[in-house]
Amino acid sequence: MTPTQELFNAASMVVPTLICTHVWFTMVELGGQGPRTALILVGIMLHLPFSVAYHLLLARRSLRDAVANTPRKLDQSFIHVMSILATWALSPSTSYAVLSTTMNVYFVARLWSKRNTLTERMCNIGLGTLLYGLAAVMGGYYIDFALGALWFVSGAVAMDVGFGGWGHSIMHLCMGGLAYHCMICASNIQLREHVVS
């Protein structure tokens, strides 16, 4: 990718954070503020600086290897941190959340292992994302899962196709759609919990 494309990659990572922040502040009466939506917002915000830093380093051509480097490992590690927090936000089951946490911690350990491959890293990120999506399914939020999955798959396809080097930025924009549906699902769970209590 060109330096300009990497700058767009860094800038496009702000979109999921902006969307989650928008939901947090504008959907107060619809359950937008609470512990579950806070977990998703915090996860997105924790990941943001590592992703932006990685893409800015790539734009400046500061990394000898664009794939095997500490900034990328940090970026991907915090994707797994986000996955852990999203699972706790969306899961109706503590046991399932513990299982997902364990899996994501293992995935982070594999990232830092000398014996991992690009394919393994990408599969583990997909599995970490699927784990928090399945938490929503377990709670009966099928439409939120389907819409979030549609955004995730669209982003993965865009990244794979490449679009002349712009696929990664498109993927980041699609993650904004996934983040939105995670926030809506967490908001709906909070509303349901409030009605029950």
Side-chain angles (χ1 to χ4, degrees):
M1 284 180 247
T2 68
T4 300
Q5 289 168 329
E6 287 298 349
L7 288 173
F8 272 88
N9 288 342
S12 62
M13 266 312 302
V14 175
V15 170
T17 302
L18 291 175
I19 288 171
C20 288
T21 304
H22 174 75
V23 170
W24 176 265
F25 284 110
T26 61
M27 297 189 65
V28 177
E29 67 283 349
L30 299 175
Q33 291 182 358
R36 292 179 181 273
T37 50
L39 284 172
I40 293 171
L41 181 57
V42 166
I44 292 279
M45 292 174 93
L46 285 173
H47 173 239
L48 177 65
F50 295 99
S51 184
V52 169
Y54 170 62
H55 289 293
L56 290 177
L57 288 169
L58 288 174
R60 293 179 51 213
R61 301 299 194 236
S62 299
L63 301 171
R64 276 184 275 175
D65 185 333
V67 176
N69 59 67
T70 298
R72 184 162 195 223
K73 289 178 184 179
L74 285 167
D75 175 21
Q76 293 179 338
S77 293
F78 277 87
I79 292 171
H80 290 293
V81 169
M82 168 56 207
S83 295
I84 290 167
L85 295 176
T87 300
W88 283 94
L90 302 175
S91 181
S93 163
T94 301
S95 299
Y96 181 79
V98 168
L99 172 69
S100 176
T101 299
T102 304
M103 294 289 295
N104 276 286
V105 167
Y106 171 75
F107 296 154
V108 170
R110 290 295 303 149
L111 269 173
W112 293 90
S113 165
K114 299 267 187 228
R115 294 182 299 252
N116 69 62
T117 64
L118 179 61
T119 302
E120 178 188 3
R121 288 180 183 190
M122 293 297 103
C123 287
N124 288 348
I125 287 171
L127 286 171
T129 304
L130 179 62
L131 286 169
Y132 69 78
L134 291 177
V137 170
M138 290 172 55
Y141 295 95
Y142 308 113
I143 293 173
D144 292 317
F145 171 79
L147 293 172
L150 180 63
W151 281 106
F152 179 82
V153 170
S154 297
V157 168
M159 200 165 81
D160 188 52
V161 170
F163 294 105
W166 296 100
H168 203 92
S169 290
I170 295 168
M171 181 272 295
H172 287 167
L173 296 174
C174 289
M175 292 309 105
L178 171 61
Y180 173 79
H181 288 288
C182 287
M183 286 292 281
I184 295 302
C185 184
S187 176
N188 288 334
I189 294 168
Q190 289 169 173
L191 278 175
R192 185 169 72 183
E193 289 171 341
H194 179 72
V195 169
V196 170
S197 64

